[in-house]
Amino acid sequence: MILFLGRVLANLFRLLTAPFYFAAKVAARPRARWVHVRMRPRVVEIARPVPAFVEWIPQLADSLPTSLTLIRELVDEIVEDERVQGVVFDVPPLAAGWATCRSLRELILRLRAADKKVVVYLSRGGGNRELYVASAADRIVASPVSQLAPLGLGASVTYFRPLLEKAGLEVEVHRRAEYKTAAEPATRDSMSAEQREQTEALLATLDRELRAALAARPGADAAKVDAFFDAALVSATDAVARGLIDGVGYEDELPTWLSDDRSVTPVVRAPRYYAYRKMRLFSRVLPQKYVAVVPIHGTIAAGQPGTRGGRTLSGTIAALRAARRNPFVAGVVLHVDSPGGSALASDLIHREVERLKELKPVVACFGDVAASGGYYVAACADAVVAQPVTITGSIGVVSARVVTAPLLEKLGVNVESIRLAPHADMLSRPGRLDEAEGAILDREIDAFYRAFLGVVARGRGRPADEIEGLARGRVWSGADAKERGLVDRLGGLDAAVDEVRARLEGKLSAKAREALHPRVIRVMRLELPPAEPRPVEAAAKALLGRVHPRAADLIELASAGERALCYALDVPDIR
């Protein structure tokens, strides 16, 4: 009631100042018919809110990501605005996954479908990702002295078992099943046949996407794409001659590339245009139903966020419970961009999603990665949406522990234990497990694997034995997962919101918005810092972190005695 009265009083005040509002709006109206969007290197679907003052500090503002959610809102405004003729995107080298790049590319294609011209400016050249995005535009322009790198796709894997042996460390792994290669770099010297098979399948999907995008350029075909890859590195001027891009120019010359006659075309910066389009005299008084977007990003951990940018377990659960209780949340999109993590935390989130689904439609939208625990949390959703190049699946379980006995022996440290039960120290012992203890872990891992299969089988409405054939820790691309029934629809956040609307059967107005649930932000500051790891484990984790950051995440879970739902450590290194 207080909020309602406050909005009424605010609108009454605005009514009194209406002449000033209209004068300000007329003065702010952009005269240019082209909108200039300057992308930041890091692109994410949903950016975490930051204090307003950060935008005014250049060093901090430059490190912030570009939010596709905000770009999508901007595109919505441009599509509806008949005055706007086109958009120019200034695209730097992108720090974004392939699914995020595809979502950005789809927004460019949507502008073109609305008869808006699109120019992409590669101010610092670009490689596979930048060319993949830019190929959707009408015209590509690059800086004259920049370099283009159409290298084609490949994947690299770092195996570091010999390094661990030299340090006196060993990683003991129990897994289900053969494709669950999460700890393979720490336990092998070379790639297993299973890892090679699933990596090649992922590369094949990405390669098809990249080749199709480049071949769609005017005058290009499959043979020309092969020629691009053969050239590998080309200067911007050479790229024009090869038909890879359309022209070269410095930033001050960019306005001459926006029209066919090469005349200077005025542009308006995207923030100014967006602010003008969002100007409203009156604010909404009565609350409106909306689709809430609840993000699950980063490594799923039971305590603090397992990955920078991730959320706490309690924060995620609080957001889901708040969405369930809020009468104005009509439906929920669960945006998952996570490689997995703690089995316990994944199961607790899955439980909250199940309870939410009892009252409201829930659609899962997969980002760059939604594998293992990332798939587990969303398995019960009403529908699953993913991009063709999303990394998903990895339905399996792995448990790993660091054997530090050789290191301690080198350091002259002797550990003696007194046990009142046969296996009292099996989770804390620095040495290897014996055969009986290994069997105990195998039994427990197998039980959780069967539970994981059951969760997916119930969520997908299929027998567990069918899911078993698609599981076994195997990683799939979104396109392959769609063919096998692990994903229902290909697309991004827009497609997921459309799925929620369809399931509401007209109960939500066409103009109803989607929004991040505000409760997600408020609960984050209530968490206690995690306890410090034991000294030897901290040293092992630090060593592994130098070699492979995600290996460190896995070992951190192992040090807490956690079963982990984690996809292969090397899969994201696809370039």
Side-chain angles (χ1 to χ4, degrees), residues 198-368:
Q198 60 186 350
T199 302
E200 288 177 349
L202 281 173
L203 283 172
T205 300
L206 291 170
D207 185 64
R208 286 194 300 269
E209 285 276 327
L210 180 59
R211 287 177 180 273
L214 296 179
R217 294 279 301 147
D221 54 24
K224 274 203 168 183
V225 173
D226 287 334
F228 296 154
F229 292 162
D230 286 340
L233 298 176
V234 294
S235 66
T237 52
D238 189 19
V240 175
R242 293 173 179 272
L244 185 60
I245 64 175
D246 300 289
V248 296
Y250 292 102
E251 186 175 4
D252 58 288
E253 299 172 322
L254 186 57
T256 66
W257 282 98
L258 308 184
S259 61
D260 294 333
D261 59 5
R262 298 296 304 276
S263 60
V264 176
T265 302
V267 298
V268 58
R269 297 295 185 186
R272 180 187 169 192
Y273 174 82
Y274 181 81
Y276 169 78
R277 291 287 296 182
K278 291 296 183 180
M279 288 179 70
R280 298 290 185 272
L281 176 57
F282 298 117
S283 62
R284 177 176 292 278
V285 174
L286 296 176
Q288 182 187 32
K289 287 192 173 184
Y290 62 94
V291 177
V293 181
V294 177
I296 299 179
H297 295 169
T299 305
I300 298 172
Q304 291 292 314
T307 301
R308 182 182 178 185
R311 281 194 163 83
T312 63
L313 171 63
S314 60
T316 300
I317 290 177
L320 292 169
R321 289 179 178 176
R324 186 175 187 268
R325 291 193 300 265
N326 192 329
F328 298 104
V329 174
V332 174
V333 170
L334 197 68
H335 189 268
V336 184
D337 196 350
S338 169
S342 164
L344 173 60
S346 298
D347 189 65
L348 293 175
I349 294 172
H350 172 266
R351 170 63 177 167
E352 295 300 326
V353 175
E354 277 190 320
R355 296 184 68 240
L356 175 60
K357 179 186 169 184
E358 294 170 356
L359 298 182
K360 300 172 182 183
V362 179
V363 173
C365 177
F366 290 170
D368 294 318

Side-chain angles (χ1 to χ4, degrees), residues 98 126-133 149-154 210 229 575:
W98 282 96
N128 293 327
R129 285 177 172 83
E130 294 75 29
L131 291 169
Y132 174 67
V133 171
L151 298 173
L153 292 171
L210 180 59
F229 292 162
R575 291 176 168 80

Side-chain angles (χ1 to χ4, degrees), residues 157 159 175 177-181 184-185 187-203 472-475 568 570-571:
V157 183
Y159 293 90
R175 61 175 179 165
E178 68 272 15
Y179 289 97
K180 197 67 177 178
T181 57
E184 186 176 284
T187 59
R188 291 180 58 92
D189 301 333
S190 60
M191 188 179 294
S192 66
E194 293 81 9
Q195 178 64 357
R196 184 174 299 278
E197 179 185 352
Q198 60 186 350
T199 302
E200 288 177 349
L202 281 173
L203 283 172
R472 310 196 65 77
R474 174 71 183 261
V475 174
D570 52 285
V571 169

Side-chain angles (χ1 to χ4, degrees), residues 362-512:
V362 179
V363 173
C365 177
F366 290 170
D368 294 318
V369 179
S372 204
Y375 192 92
Y376 189 109
V377 299
C380 65
D382 292 297
V384 176
V385 178
Q387 292 286 17
V389 291
T390 294
I391 297 172
T392 189
S394 192
I395 300 167
V397 189
V398 61
S399 176
R401 60 185 299 274
V402 181
V403 177
T404 59
L407 173 61
L408 295 176
E409 186 178 348
K410 286 183 179 181
L411 298 175
V413 177
N414 180 42
V415 178
E416 292 191 7
S417 300
I418 298 176
R419 297 177 295 182
L420 299 183
H423 311 298
D425 64 341
M426 66 177 286
L427 297 179
S428 59
R429 187 187 311 154
R432 298 176 182 84
L433 299 181
D434 60 32
E435 185 176 344
E437 290 165 338
I440 290 171
L441 278 184
D442 283 336
R443 182 188 65 209
E444 199 263 353
I445 289 292
D446 189 66
F448 196 88
Y449 177 57
R450 297 298 164 188
F452 196 168
L453 291 178
V455 163
V456 177
R458 289 193 302 274
R460 304 309 299 164
R462 299 169 66 178
D465 56 349
E466 284 187 15
I467 298 299
E468 163 71 11
L470 305 173
R472 310 196 65 77
R474 174 71 183 261
V475 174
W476 305 100
S477 67
D480 289 342
K482 170 67 167 59
E483 290 181 4
R484 289 158 177 81
L486 295 176
V487 166
D488 298 294
R489 177 175 173 179
L490 297 179
L493 189 59
D494 279 342
V497 173
D498 289 343
E499 280 288 328
V500 174
R501 290 180 182 276
R503 292 171 188 280
L504 289 169
E505 298 177 346
K507 296 178 183 178
L508 194 67
S509 68
K511 294 184 178 180

